[in-house]
C-alpha cells in the first residue's frame, strides 16, 4: 500500500477589493472634504458680510439720529442767543451745523448703492436744510435789529412744522433701516442655523465614518488573527513533519552506521578466523619443511623468503582487522583503546598528542562512535593540519560526555569544505544518531577544535 500523504492545511483566501473601489472611495472623500470646506467658508463669508452690513446700518441709524439731535442743538443755541444776545451761544449753533453736515455725508456714503434709502436721505437733508434756513433767518433778523420780525417768526408754527417734517423723514429712514436690519439679522440667524446643521451633519458623518472604520478595522484584525492562526497551524504542522522526518533520518543514519559497523565487524571476524587460520597453517607447514633432511641450501633460502612474505601478510591482515574493528576496544575498553590510538597517532605524526581521558559511562555503540570520532579527527590532523601539538580529551560533564580533539594547525573554513569530503558529515551523523551534538570551531591560521557532546548511558 502507498502510505497516506499528510494533508497540507489550506491557506486562507484573502479577498481583495475591486480595483475601482479604492480610487472611488478616495474621490468621494475628497469631494466630501471639498464640499465641507466650501460650505463652511460660504457660511462664514455670509455671516461676516451680514455682520459688517449690520454694523454699517447701525452707524447709519446713529447718523440719522445725529441729524435730529444736531437740529435740536441748533434750535437750543438759537433760543439762548435770542434771549441773551450773547455771541457765545452761536458757537454750539455752528458746531451743531457742522455735525449735521457730517451726519448727512455719512448717510449718503453708506447708502450710495441703495437708491431707495439714498432718496430718503436726500429727503431728510431737504427737511433739515429747511429747518436750518428757518433758524438762520431768525438769527439774521435778530442781528439786523428787526425784533418785531423775529419775534413774529418765532410765534408762528413754522419752526415746529419744519422740525416735525425732519422727525418724520428721520422716522421713515430709521424705520426702513430697521426693516433692513431685521432682514439681515434673520439672514444671519439663517446662516448660523445652516452652519449649525452643517456642523451636526458633519459630526454625524464623522461618527458614521469612525464607526465604519472601527468595523472595517475590527474585521481586518479578525481576518489577520484568523490568518495568523492558520499560518501558525500550518507552521506547527510543518514543524511536526520536519521533526518526524528529522527523527526518521536520524534513526536511518544510526541504522546505516550500525549496519556498516556490523558488516565491518563481520568482515573482521571472517578475516581473523578464516584468513588467520590459513596463515597459521602455512607457517606450520613451513616449520615442517625446515625439518626435512638433506634439504638444499637453495630450498632453505626459498623457505625463508616465503616465511617473510607470510609474516608481512599476517601483519597486513592484522592491520586490516584493526581498522575494521578495533580489538582493543572490545577487549580492553574505551580508554585503553583511545590511549593506543593517541600513541599510534603521535608516532605517525611525529608531534606530541596530549590525552586527557577520564572514565565515562557510554553504551557500546556510543563508545565505538567516540573511538571513530577521535580516529577520524586524528586522520584529518595527519592529512591537512600540519600541527605542532594535538590535544584529545574525554571527560564527563553533568550527565553528558564531552569529547574534543584540538590542534594548533593551519585550520580551515568549515563552510567552504569542497564537495566529496564527507568525513565531517559522517562524524555529525554518528554523533546525532546517539542524540548528541557536534560542533566544529576553526578558521584559517587558528587551528581546529572538533567537539562532541553525547548523553551518558
Amino acid at each position: 500500500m502507498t502510505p497516506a500523504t499528510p494533508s497540507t492545511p489550506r491557506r486562507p483566501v484573502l479577498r481583495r477589493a475591486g480595483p475601482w473601489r479604492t480610487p472611488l472611495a478616495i474621490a468621494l472623500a475628497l469631494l466630501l472634504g471639498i464640499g465641507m470646506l466650501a460650505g463652511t467658508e460660504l457660511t462664514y463669508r455670509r455671516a461676516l458680510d451680514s455682520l459688517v452690513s449690520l454694523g454699517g446700518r447701525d452707524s447709519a441709524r446713529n447718523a440719522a439720529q445725529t441729524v435730529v439731535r444736531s437740529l435740536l442743538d441748533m434750535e437750543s443755541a438759537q433760543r439762548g442767543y435770542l434771549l441773551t444776545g450773547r455771541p457765545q451761544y452761536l458757537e454750539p449753533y455752528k458746531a451743531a451745523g457742522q455735525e449735521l453736515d457730517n451726519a448727512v455725508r455719512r448717510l449718503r456714503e453708506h447708502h450710495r448703492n441703495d437708491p431707495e434709502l439714498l432718496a430718503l436721505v436726500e429727503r431728510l437733508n431737504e427737511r433739515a436744510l429747511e429747518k436750518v434756513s428757518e433758524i438762520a433767518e431768525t438769527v439774521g433778523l435778530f442781528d439786523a435789529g428787526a425784533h418785531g420780525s423775529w419775534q413774529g417768526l418765532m410765534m408762528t408754527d413754522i419752526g415746529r412744522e419744519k422740525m416735525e417734517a425732519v422727525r418724520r423723514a428721520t422716522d421713515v429712514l430709521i424705520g426702513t433701516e430697521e426693516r433692513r436690519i431685521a432682514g439681515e439679522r434673520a439672514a444671519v440667524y439663517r446662516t448660523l442655523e445652516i452652519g449649525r446643521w452643517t456642523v451636526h451633519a458633519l459630526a454625524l458623518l464623522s461618527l458614521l465614518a469612525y464607526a465604519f472604520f472601527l468595523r472595517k478595522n475590527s474585521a481586518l484584525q479578525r481576518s489577520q488573527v484568523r490568518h495568523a492562526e492558520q499560518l501558525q497551524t500550518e507552521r506547527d504542522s510543518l514543524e511536526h513533519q520536519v521533526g518526524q522526518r528529522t527523527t526518521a533520518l536520524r534513526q536511518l543514519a544510526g541504522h546505516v552506521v550500525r549496519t556498516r559497523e556490523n558488516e565491518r565487524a563481520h568482515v573482521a571476524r571472517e578475516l581473523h578466523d578464516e584468513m588467520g587460520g590459513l596463515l597459521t597453517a602455512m607457517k606450520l607447514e613451513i616449520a615442517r619443511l625446515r625439518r626435512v633432511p638433506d634439504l638444499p641450501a637453495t630450498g632453505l633460502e626459498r623457505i625463508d623468503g616465503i616465511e617473510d612474505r607470510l609474516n608481512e601478510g599476517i601483519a597486513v591482515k592484522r592491520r586490516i582487522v584493526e581498522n575494521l574493528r578495533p580489538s582493543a576496544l572490545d577487549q580492553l575498553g574505551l580508554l585503553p583503546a583511545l590511549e593506543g590510538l593517541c600513541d599510534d597517532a603521535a608516532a605517525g605524526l611525529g608531534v606530541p598528542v596530549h590525552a586527557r581521558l577520564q572514565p565515562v559511562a557510554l553504551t557500546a555503540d556510543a563508545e565505538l562512535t567516540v573511538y571513530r570520532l577521535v580516529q577520524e579527527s586524528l586522520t584529518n590532523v595527519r592529512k591537512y593540519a600540519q600541527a605542532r601539538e594535538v590535544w584529545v580529551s574525554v571527560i564527563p560533564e553533568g550527565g553528558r560526555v564531552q569529547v574534543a580533539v584540538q590542534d594548533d594547525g593551519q585550520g580551515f573554513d568549515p563552510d567552504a569544505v569542497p564537495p566529496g569530503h564527507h568525513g565531517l558529515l559522517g562524524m555529525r551523523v554518528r554523533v546525532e544518531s546517539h542524540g548528541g551534538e557536534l560542533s566544529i570551531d576553526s578558521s584559517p591560521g587558528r587551528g581546529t577544535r572538533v567537539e562532541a557532546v553525547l548523553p551518558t548511558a
Side-chain angles (χ1 to χ4, degrees):
M1 290 180 62
T2 302
T5 302
S7 60
T8 302
R10 294 183 61 187
R11 297 189 177 183
V13 178
L14 300 179
R15 300 195 177 191
R16 301 180 61 184
W20 53 271
R21 292 187 180 179
T22 301
L24 179 60
I26 295 175
L28 290 176
L30 289 175
L31 289 176
L32 180 60
I34 293 173
M36 291 168 55
L37 291 176
T40 304
E41 184 66 20
L42 179 61
T43 303
Y44 168 75
R45 292 296 179 185
R46 289 184 60 183
L48 182 63
D49 293 342
S50 298
L51 291 175
V52 171
S53 178
L54 285 174
R57 293 190 182 281
D58 187 64
S59 177
R61 183 172 57 180
N62 291 334
Q65 293 174 347
T66 300
V67 171
V68 177
R69 186 176 63 253
S70 298
L71 290 174
L72 292 175
D73 290 343
M74 291 180 69
E75 193 174 40
S76 298
Q78 173 210 26
R79 291 176 181 175
Y81 178 67
L82 294 176
L83 291 175
T84 62
R86 300 173 63 183
Q88 291 87 344
Y89 283 95
L90 292 180
E91 293 299 327
Y93 169 81
K94 296 177 181 178
Q98 185 65 37
E99 187 176 3
L100 174 64
D101 293 338
N102 292 334
V104 172
R105 187 170 56 255
R106 291 201 305 271
L107 287 172
R108 285 173 176 168
E109 179 66 22
H110 179 69
H111 297 302
R112 66 182 181 277
N113 297 324
D114 191 335
E116 179 185 358
L117 291 176
L118 186 60
L120 293 176
V121 170
E122 295 300 333
R123 181 180 176 185
L124 174 61
N125 184 45
E126 292 176 1
R127 301 293 180 267
L129 291 177
E130 292 176 356
K131 178 61 179 176
V132 169
S133 176
E134 183 264 331
I135 294 173
E137 179 68 20
T138 304
V139 172
L141 291 173
F142 180 82
D143 289 339
H147 296 289
S149 298
W150 69 262
Q151 288 176 353
L153 184 60
M154 289 289 294
M155 294 300 294
T156 63
D157 290 334
I158 295 176
R160 182 178 60 79
E161 291 175 356
K162 299 294 185 183
M163 195 63 194
E164 287 296 327
V166 171
R167 284 194 178 94
R168 286 194 298 270
T170 303
D171 291 341
V172 171
L173 179 60
I174 291 176
T176 305
E177 283 284 353
E178 288 180 348
R179 287 194 300 273
R180 298 290 181 86
I181 289 174
E184 292 182 359
R185 186 180 291 113
V188 171
Y189 288 150
R190 286 195 301 272
T191 302
L192 293 176
E193 190 71 15
I194 292 171
R196 172 191 176 190
W197 287 110
T198 302
V199 171
H200 290 173
L202 293 178
L204 181 60
L205 288 175
S206 300
L207 290 175
L208 291 176
Y210 183 64
F212 179 76
F213 168 76
L214 290 179
R215 180 182 176 186
K216 287 295 183 181
N217 187 54
S218 177
L220 178 60
Q221 289 180 349
R222 288 195 300 270
S223 175
Q224 290 176 343
V225 169
R226 288 195 301 269
H227 185 56
E229 290 175 350
Q230 291 174 349
L231 288 179
Q232 185 62 40
T233 301
E234 184 176 353
R235 188 181 298 112
D236 293 341
S237 175
L238 291 176
E239 290 178 355
H240 180 66
Q241 292 180 21
V242 170
Q244 287 182 332
R245 301 291 172 81
T246 303
T247 302
L249 289 175
R250 185 180 293 116
Q251 292 174 351
L252 179 61
H255 174 70
V256 170
V257 169
R258 287 190 298 272
T259 302
R260 180 185 177 188
E261 290 296 336
N262 291 336
E263 288 295 328
R264 297 177 71 170
H266 175 70
V267 172
R269 285 194 301 270
E270 291 291 329
L271 286 174
H272 181 271
D273 295 340
E274 300 296 334
M275 185 65 69
L278 291 174
L279 294 175
T280 302
M282 291 175 65
K283 290 198 70 172
L284 290 175
E285 291 295 332
I286 290 174
R288 291 192 187 99
L289 284 174
R290 287 182 181 278
R291 293 194 295 270
V292 174
D294 302 326
L295 189 66
T298 304
L300 289 175
E301 291 178 1
R302 295 294 182 185
I303 291 173
D304 291 339
I306 292 172
E307 189 173 13
D308 291 340
R309 301 290 85 73
L310 183 60
N311 289 333
E312 292 176 2
I314 292 173
V316 171
K317 184 268 300 182
R318 184 180 296 111
R319 188 169 63 252
I320 293 175
V321 170
E322 286 297 320
N323 287 332
L324 290 174
R325 181 74 180 185
S327 59
L329 182 63
D330 295 330
Q331 297 172 6
L332 303 177
L334 177 62
L335 298 187
L338 291 177
E339 289 176 355
L341 189 61
C342 291
D343 292 339
D344 294 341
L349 292 169
V351 300
V353 178
H354 307 285
R356 182 189 174 194
L357 308 175
Q358 298 181 11
V360 292
L362 292 171
T363 63
D365 290 340
E367 287 183 350
L368 180 58
T369 295
V370 172
Y371 183 87
R372 294 299 187 193
L373 174 65
V374 175
Q375 184 183 42
E376 181 70 22
S377 298
L378 292 175
T379 300
N380 290 338
V381 172
R382 178 177 58 81
K383 289 181 178 180
Y384 311 111
Q386 301 178 8
R388 295 181 298 274
E389 285 186 278
V390 182
W391 295 266
V392 178
S393 63
V394 177
I395 56 176
E397 190 178 69
R400 298 170 73 84
V401 177
Q402 182 192 63
V403 182
V405 179
Q406 184 171 351
D407 66 74
D408 60 353
Q410 62 182 2
F412 69 102
D413 184 1
D415 297 328
V417 177
H421 294 71
H422 304 298
L424 298 177
L425 180 60
M427 289 188 210
R428 190 177 302 278
V429 169
R430 280 180 176 272
V431 172
E432 290 182 353
S433 67
H434 295 286
E437 297 177 357
L438 179 71
S439 62
I440 300 173
D441 182 14
S442 180
S443 62
R446 201 170 56 86
T448 303
R449 177 180 175 85
V450 178
E451 181 178 319
V453 179
L454 292 95
T456 56

